[in-house]
Structures are given as C-alpha cells and as structure tokens.
Amino acid sequence: MREALTAAASRRVARPAPLRQAVYDALTELIINGSLKPGQHLVEAELAEHLGVSRQPVREALQRLQTAGWVDLRPAQGAFVHSPTEEEAAQLLGVRSVLETYSAQLAAQNAQPEDIERLGELQQEGVDALAEGDVERLVAANTALHAFVTSVAANDVLAELLAQVGQKVRWYYTPIAKPRGKEAWNEHIQLIKAIAKGDADRAGEVMRKHTERTSDFYRKQIASGSSQD
C-alpha cells in the first residue's frame, strides 16, 4: 500500500501557486471588463509591469487563457485577446438561454416574499446604474440579479452549469450593457412580476425571450462590428 501511494504521489498534479492564479484571474477580468479588447496584442513585459509581477507568471497565465478560449497565441506574432465569432456566441448564449429559462421556472416555484424584495432591490440597482451610464456597475447589477434568480431556484447542478458559462456571458454582455440596457431592465420587471406570482410558465417564457433578445442583440453587434462608444 505504501509503495502504491508513493508511486501515486509522484504523479500528482502540483497545485497552482497563488501568484499564478492571481495573475490569471486579473487578466481574465481585464478581458471581461473590456480593458483588454478583442484582437488586442498582449505584450508580456507590459502586462507584467501593469500587474507588478515578473514575466513568468504572465507567460503561464497566457497559456492557460488560450486553453480557456480567452486568448489566441499565434506563432511568431505573440498573444492576442480572442475575438469571439458569431458561432461561438450563438452556442454559448443558446446554452445560457436554456439554463436561465429553467432557473426562472424553479425560482417562481420557490420564491419567498423576502426573495421578491431582494429582486426588487437588485432591479433598482440596475436602473440606477443605467441612469448614470456606469457600465461596470450595470454589468455587475445584471450579473447579481441573474445570480440571485439562480440561487432562489435552489438547484446545485443548475447553479454549477450557469457558473461555467457565467464569465463569458459577462464578457459578451459588457459591450452591449448600455445600448441594450433600457429594454433589458424593463424585461427584468416582467420577470420579477412572474416570479412574485409563482407563475413558473410565465417566468420561464419571459426569461427565454429576455436571453434570446440579448443573444440577438449581441450577434447584430458582432455583425456590424460596432461598439458601445
């Protein structure tokens, strides 16, 4: 037994050092929030200086980011922020629509009065952010509202699946948060009303249309090559 464990231990995958993970997380967030834009050339030395680290953890992070689909590493050219294709967006946002629809249905079945009150608070946060034109706050509010619906749904498997697509959904949503904002937050009102009534079918339908409209808006954004500015 001891020999078997010793042999197994020699094959263990080393846990990533905290610095490596921190650099990876920081670069991911810079991509999601648009500080690093699709197609932008990523220079290791510049990123290392910006983050206050050596180039080694940056290099390792870029390799991981390529694997995760955030970065493209091109031979003899270097690293570039990945530019999502229309097909990639359609696939991810399509899966998100199915998951979110089910989440809304379950939330309508489970919601308590205090949950409805919290949804109202999150809705107001989004409306206030939209009025101020604060994109970062607007995206955070949208993420928080959808995440709370998922928490009310009380399905751990569903929550895990939504978490897997959550970062890229936030990435796709950031450029359209302002132009899509008024319509999106009006749709949230209808969603909250359906959940408050305990109408699972209606909540699911509202969420399905809501996520599909967001997907359509994003695809049109890609096709036009326009930005939020």
Side-chain angles (χ1 to χ4, degrees):
M1 175 67 74
R2 181 176 298 175
E3 291 179 356
L5 289 175
T6 300
S10 68
R11 297 192 298 270
R12 286 183 301 183
V13 176
R15 295 182 62 184
L19 177 60
R20 295 173 183 171
Q21 186 63 45
V23 170
Y24 176 86
D25 291 342
L27 291 177
T28 302
E29 184 59 32
L30 288 171
I31 293 172
I32 291 172
N33 68 28
S35 296
L36 297 175
K37 301 184 181 303
Q40 182 174 340
H41 186 208
L42 302 175
V43 180
E44 286 182 9
E46 293 178 359
L47 294 174
E49 182 179 1
H50 176 74
L51 297 175
V53 298
S54 68
R55 294 175 62 174
Q56 183 61 29
V58 171
R59 184 177 300 116
E60 294 174 355
L62 291 175
Q63 291 171 347
R64 287 182 60 196
L65 288 165
Q66 180 191 37
T67 301
W70 297 102
V71 165
D72 298 326
L73 296 180
R74 304 173 189 170
Q77 295 184 52
F80 297 80
V81 177
H82 180 67
S83 296
T85 66
E86 185 173 345
E87 182 179 1
E88 288 172 351
Q91 290 180 2
L92 184 116
L93 295 175
V95 169
R96 180 242 187 170
S97 180
V98 173
L99 297 174
E100 293 265 28
T101 296
Y102 185 43
S103 178
Q105 292 171 336
L106 293 179
Q109 296 171 1
N110 297 334
Q112 300 300 311
E114 59 270 23
D115 297 325
I116 304 306
E117 181 179 355
R118 179 57 181 156
L119 283 171
E121 294 171 353
L122 293 169
Q123 169 71 13
Q124 189 60 52
E125 169 65 14
V127 171
D128 292 344
L130 183 62
E132 294 179 7
D134 187 334
V135 174
E136 183 175 354
R137 182 181 171 194
L138 189 58
V139 173
N142 183 73
T143 300
L145 189 146
H146 281 264
F148 189 75
V149 171
T150 300
S151 71
V152 175
N155 183 309
D156 292 340
V157 174
L158 179 61
E160 182 179 352
L161 292 173
L162 280 167
Q164 289 178 18
V165 302
Q167 280 190 316
K168 286 193 175 174
V169 168
R170 190 156 61 93
W171 185 31
Y172 293 170
Y173 185 69
T174 296
I176 65 172
K178 283 172 65 176
R180 166 89 171 109
K182 184 175 181 180
E183 182 182 37
W185 288 92
N186 285 339
E187 292 162 8
H188 285 160
I189 293 174
Q190 300 307 313
L191 173 65
I192 294 170
K193 287 181 178 179
I195 293 175
K197 291 179 180 179
D199 189 337
D201 290 340
R202 173 62 178 162
E205 180 66 9
V206 171
M207 181 66 92
R208 182 184 65 79
K209 290 181 177 179
H210 171 67
T211 53
E212 287 179 355
R213 285 169 182 157
T214 296
S215 301
D216 290 342
F217 198 102
Y218 181 80
R219 285 196 293 271
K220 290 176 182 177
Q221 199 84 345
I222 290 181
S224 67
S226 61
S227 67
Q228 67 184 37
D229 296 330

